């Protein structure tokens, strides 16, 4: 995507100043999440995954109790298309990779997928038998769906380094499959949540060549969020007819300016994956090159991804505020992105945002240690929200600003930091959240 | 310093397993901090610096009250040598630099210094008149001391981006100078503290060619700690006779394996500086090359710096635990250092340490995203403290370890993480602390 196009999109975001959903002219928001697209079913169940494999005694005791607890959160989800779908995915660049990613990557080499099986609670990472278990999970799901195991996307999220018990999954799959429905998005979304406080899903409707098309997505992610080339688990479905190559291209372009610009805590997950699957059931003329139709598809995909990215930042572990950092006036998109991410990642800045304290020296400090070259003496900084707009730094020197207005701005839940480097025509945006007592609380004892 | 020498030093640290002070055979610890070295005086006073310049009314009101509050923390310190001292310093690599650093750097171009003036409360950074104020501060101090302004080291620490009021400093200097004493270390240390909960100082005594020599240091730092090429404010004095070139060499070697291996919050300060000054009053034969005497000086300097580094990590903002990460079996020192720092910087790992939760998947996750190449499937991990020793990961797979023992280890205040990459002969050590509610509290409203 050209810098000009990115700049246009940024402007739209700035105009909306962090409120509600972000959109472009071509899209209408619709209900249904991953099931909004034609021919896509989903479901989620509680199959009873624990952080550790049960001992024999525990298993017998559970069997004696004779039923899965029904009041517990869903932990296993399935998504299925009526037809094979052109599919592409991006994965974490962490050297430590969840076993499911290795299997999924292999399955997607032919550019097609038809089903997704995903569990929460256990990440199936750093386990000696991880690959074996991930394959088994895919085979069990494929068998129920009556499709080839090589058409499965397999994902896991949860605690790292504890053996994945396959039994609850095996027992859960028949019911999970039987309950698949064209309105099953909500049950599926619940199943992928870990420390998320809210389900995250969105869908848009648009037209390509007179045909009504859809893209819908769900995402999980709240902590260990610092995507690079991918992000936490994201599943996006579509009914657009498009080749695997063009799906891949659209995904790679959009992930750079959406999900990869979010950081909650600087910790890049081992299990990140974002997959886009398009089954062609909208019956548009198949997109095979970078034409106008591709442009529409890209725009719709961006809308889905940027909104999921913002939902993720807003629901960062313990977060009370969404922090949106818009860097402009940069020599390149890359420079702007590095600067914007440096600000939203600074623990000191994040803690100050929680305290609603306009400690803007911390913004300058983070811009100073960002790994990119620019003249810090040209930087202007504004802070903004629905509470107001305030210039706090001019040409690298902090101003003696109106503290009462600053407080009025920072008391809001959606805060925008606007940074003009004043040394170029490129910009980028990054999304983060504040650092709170609850982040520490959530992560002080995550495993129990 | 060769990798072999570093490895030897690491072994000494590991043997001591994080308890108390770290030393080598050549040193004896002595009292006196920066005044332990012959010919070095120090003092500290409360001169009444506020986060913001006082308004006329406020100033009049303070004048009416007629005196500086005496119950307030010292905020201005002075250190002075009886003779000019060979001096070298390293500074933050943050592009945003405190004005005092620019002036100090200029003053040290000739390799000599005789006096130090330093204030806390206000960082004198991102101010349009910063350089002017820093020079003024140096001139006022030099005038009182009767030395050349170009022999001054000037430093400031505190809030960024608020104009430094020079009046309290000007009024404070005469009393500060008058009170200089050969036992004044304690008053000076108090003056450089910001959110530090404890003064940090140390001194060692050793022999060079039959002459009794000393190195002593003080350090401030608790938050915004992520040194690169330098660290938060550190002042080290010595009575060793040594050339400026050799002081610089010894400082640069040691800073890489001590202060630069500490991170409290990943935020690199704008005002970092570490300065070493040696006045030659021990009357040893001047060290002019890398001979045995230089080796002794280096070893003594390392002892001072590594202990200051550990004190800093232990007193990280809100910290309840010192986390020491020892990476061995690496292809190079650099790889080991990157891996060790990645672990002690992970917010998720730090929060787990606060919760005394052996969530070792977070160690593997941080090793996975560290920006260095190695095979994660060869990694072994142990955790240790005075509470015990436990192998938690073998060849990249986490083990089903004894949770009760893990708890017994993590309940201690000094925790060591031992990581063997099993793919080389080099090692490095890094120091950090846990992430706590108090870190968020301290930084949510630092300015008020």
């Amino acid at each position: 995507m050209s810098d000009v196009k990115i700049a246009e999109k940024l402007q739209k975001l700035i105009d909306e100043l962090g409120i509600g959903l972000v959109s472009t002219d071509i899209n209408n928001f619709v209900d249904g999440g991953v099931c909004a697209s034609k021919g896509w079913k989903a479901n989620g169940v509680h199959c009873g995954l624990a952080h550790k494999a049960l001992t024999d005694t525990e298993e017998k005791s559970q069997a004696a109790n004779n039923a899965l607890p029904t009041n517990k959160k869903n932990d296993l989800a399935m998504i299925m298309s009526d037809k094979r779908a052109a599919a592409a995915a991006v994965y974490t660049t962490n050297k430590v990779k969840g076993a499911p990613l290795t299997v999924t990557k292999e399955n997607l080499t032919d550019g097609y997928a038809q089903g997704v099986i995903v569990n929460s609670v256990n990440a199936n990472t750093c386990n000696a038998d991880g690959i074996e278990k991930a394959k088994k999970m895919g085979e069990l799901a494929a068998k129920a769906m009556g499709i080839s195991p090589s058409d499965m996307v397999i994902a896991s999220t949860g605690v790292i380094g504890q053996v994945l018990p396959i039994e609850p999954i095996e027992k859960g799959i028949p019911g999970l499959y039987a309950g698949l429905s064209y309105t099953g998005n909500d049950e599926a979304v619940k199943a992928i949540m870990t420390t998320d406080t809210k389900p995250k899903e969105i869908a848009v409707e648009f037209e390509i060549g007179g045909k009504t098309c859809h893209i819908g997505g769900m995402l999980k992610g709240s902590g260990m969020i610092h995507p690079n080339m991918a992000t936490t688990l994201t599943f996006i479905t579509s009914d657009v007819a498009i080749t695997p190559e063009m799906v891949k291209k659209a995904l790679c372009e959009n992930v750079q300016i959406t999900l990869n610009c979010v950081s909650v805590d600087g910790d890049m997950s081992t299990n990140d994956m974002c997959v886009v699957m398009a089954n062609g059931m909208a019956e548009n003329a198949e997109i095979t090159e970078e034409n106008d139709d591709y442009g529409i598809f890209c725009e719709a995909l961006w809308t889905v991804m940027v909104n999921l990215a913002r939902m993720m930042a807003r629901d960062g572990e313990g977060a009370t505020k969404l922090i949106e950092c818009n860097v402009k006036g940069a020599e390149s998109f890359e420079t702007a992105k590095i600067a914007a991410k440096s600000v939203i990642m600074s623990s000191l800045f994040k803690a100050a945002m929680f305290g609603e304290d306009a400690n803007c020296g911390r913004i300058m400090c983070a811009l100073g240690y960002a790994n990119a070259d620019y003249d810090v003496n040209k930087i202007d900084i504004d802070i903004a929200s629905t509470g107001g707009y305030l210039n706090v730094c001019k040409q690298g020197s902090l101003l003696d600003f109106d503290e009462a207005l600053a407080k009025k701005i920072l008391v809001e839940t959606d805060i925008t930091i606007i940074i003009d480097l004043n040394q170029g025509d490129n910009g980028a945006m990054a999304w983060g959240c504040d650092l709170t007592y609850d982040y520490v609380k959530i992560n002080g004892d995550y495993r129990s």
Side-chain angles (χ1 to χ4, degrees), chain A:
Chain A
M1 188 166 303
S2 73
D3 281 339
V4 175
K5 278 184 89 176
I6 290 169
E8 274 170 21
K9 289 187 172 177
L10 285 174
Q11 197 51 55
K12 280 183 201 291
L13 277 178
I14 297 154
D15 293 347
E16 309 231 354
L17 214 58
I19 310 308
L21 296 172
V22 169
S23 190
T24 65
D25 299 339
I26 64 151
N27 300 293
N28 287 321
F29 290 106
V30 291
D31 291 335
V34 292
C35 294
S37 301
K38 222 169 294 172
W40 285 96
K41 289 183 281 200
N43 192 26
V45 295
H46 171 81
C47 76
L49 280 167
H51 286 166
K52 292 192 139 194
L54 299 178
T55 61
D56 278 357
T57 326
E58 284 167 334
E59 205 157 345
K60 274 175 201 155
S61 141
Q62 197 178 73
N65 288 332
N66 192 29
L68 296 171
T70 51
N71 60 343
K72 295 235 180 123
K73 195 191 82 61
N74 288 355
D75 54 16
L76 190 66
M78 193 178 261
I79 308 171
M80 186 185 177
S81 169
D82 293 344
K83 287 177 58 180
R84 282 179 93 213
V90 283
Y91 310 89
T92 183
T93 55
N94 196 310
K95 288 181 285 295
V96 177
K97 279 189 178 54
L101 272 61
T102 307
V103 181
T104 298
K105 202 170 181 180
E106 198 179 303
N107 288 352
L108 291 187
T109 43
D110 67 352
Y112 288 91
Q114 191 164 358
V116 175
I117 182 86
V118 49
N119 71 278
S120 50
V121 181
N122 184 314
N124 192 17
T125 302
C126 293
N127 296 325
D129 66 352
I131 299 281
E132 183 192 324
K133 290 281 177 67
K135 281 191 176 161
K136 182 75 185 168
M137 200 171 142
E139 282 160 12
L140 289 166
K143 194 176 163 197
M145 297 183 196
I147 65 174
S148 161
S150 69
D151 281 337
M152 289 301 305
V153 168
I154 300 139
S156 297
T157 181
V159 176
I160 296 170
Q162 294 184 345
V163 171
L164 178 72
I166 203 76
E167 300 74 19
I169 295 173
E170 186 159 15
K171 286 183 192 149
I173 280 178
L176 182 62
Y177 174 74
L180 275 181
S181 110
Y182 293 114
T183 56
N185 175 73
D186 294 359
E187 291 303 315
V189 175
K190 275 184 229 160
I192 65 171
M193 290 165 66
T194 51
T195 52
D196 306 61
T197 65
K198 292 170 196 152
K200 301 174 189 71
E201 43 115 344
I202 192 165
V204 294
E205 188 172 273
F206 51 98
E207 275 198 8
I208 291 182
K211 303 285 183 183
T212 304
C213 299
H214 304 85
I215 301 182
M218 62 165 72
L219 171 148
K220 71 126 306 204
S222 191
M224 207 178 269
I225 304 283
H226 180 65
N228 188 10
M229 303 306 292
T231 186
T232 182
L233 298 182
T234 310
F235 303 103
I236 298 173
T237 63
S238 176
D239 44 26
V240 169
I242 181 168
T243 61
E245 293 70 29
M246 299 314 285
V247 172
K248 179 101 197 170
K249 191 172 171 57
L251 169 60
C252 291
E253 280 184 6
N254 277 297
V255 81
Q256 296 296 347
I257 55 171
T258 56
L259 300 174
N260 278 0
C261 289
V262 176
S263 187
V264 166
D265 51 18
D267 278 285
M268 187 202 300
S269 162
T270 52
N271 285 44
D272 283 349
M273 163 161 55
C274 174
V275 56
V276 180
M277 298 164 289
N279 67 7
M281 290 176 73
E283 299 187 338
N284 60 297
E286 190 182 43
I287 300 169
T288 59
E289 54 175 5
E290 285 192 64
N291 53 17
D292 290 351
D293 292 353
Y294 174 78
I296 295 170
F297 180 81
C298 253
E299 193 109 340
L301 184 60
W302 175 79
T303 307
V304 166
M305 289 176 73
V306 78
N307 282 298
L308 288 173
R310 296 168 91 243
M311 287 176 199
M312 179 162 64
R314 189 180 273 116
D315 195 28
E317 280 178 342
T320 68
K321 292 178 193 296
L322 168 69
I323 313 292
E324 200 152 39
C325 182
N326 166 30
V327 172
K328 51 190 180 178
E331 277 189 1
S332 69
F333 166 69
E334 202 52 37
T335 294
K337 183 174 166 179
I338 290 167
K341 285 185 85 166
S342 187
V343 172
I344 55 119
M345 283 175 62
S346 156
S347 294
L348 288 167
F349 168 69
K350 287 155 63 78
M353 288 298 98
F354 172 58
E356 298 169 355
D357 177 28
N359 194 334
C360 298
R362 293 180 175 173
I363 301 176
M364 277 301 283
C365 177
L367 288 170
Y369 63 68
N371 188 24
D373 265 338
Y374 39 79
D375 181 352
V376 293
N377 297 311
K378 290 185 175 172
I379 296 175
D380 296 338
I381 305 176
D382 302 325
I383 59 175
S385 75
T386 47
Y389 196 102
L390 182 65
N391 178 219
V392 294
C393 179
K394 191 85 195 157
Q395 296 195 304
S397 291
L398 293 179
L399 307 172
D400 190 12
F401 53 78
D402 177 349
E403 291 277 356
L405 176 54
K407 193 83 189 170
K408 217 173 142 221
I409 292 168
L410 297 183
V411 82
E412 299 297 325
T413 55
D414 290 10
I415 311 293
T416 305
I417 311 293
I418 300 132
I419 295 162
D420 196 338
L421 299 180
N422 285 308
Q423 42 210 294
D425 295 321
N426 297 287
M429 209 128 184
W431 297 271
C433 58
D434 53 345
L435 175 63
T436 69
Y437 298 133
D438 280 352
Y439 177 84
V440 179
K441 189 173 178 187
I442 291 165
N443 287 298
D445 203 11
Y446 175 55
R447 298 186 309 154
S448 53

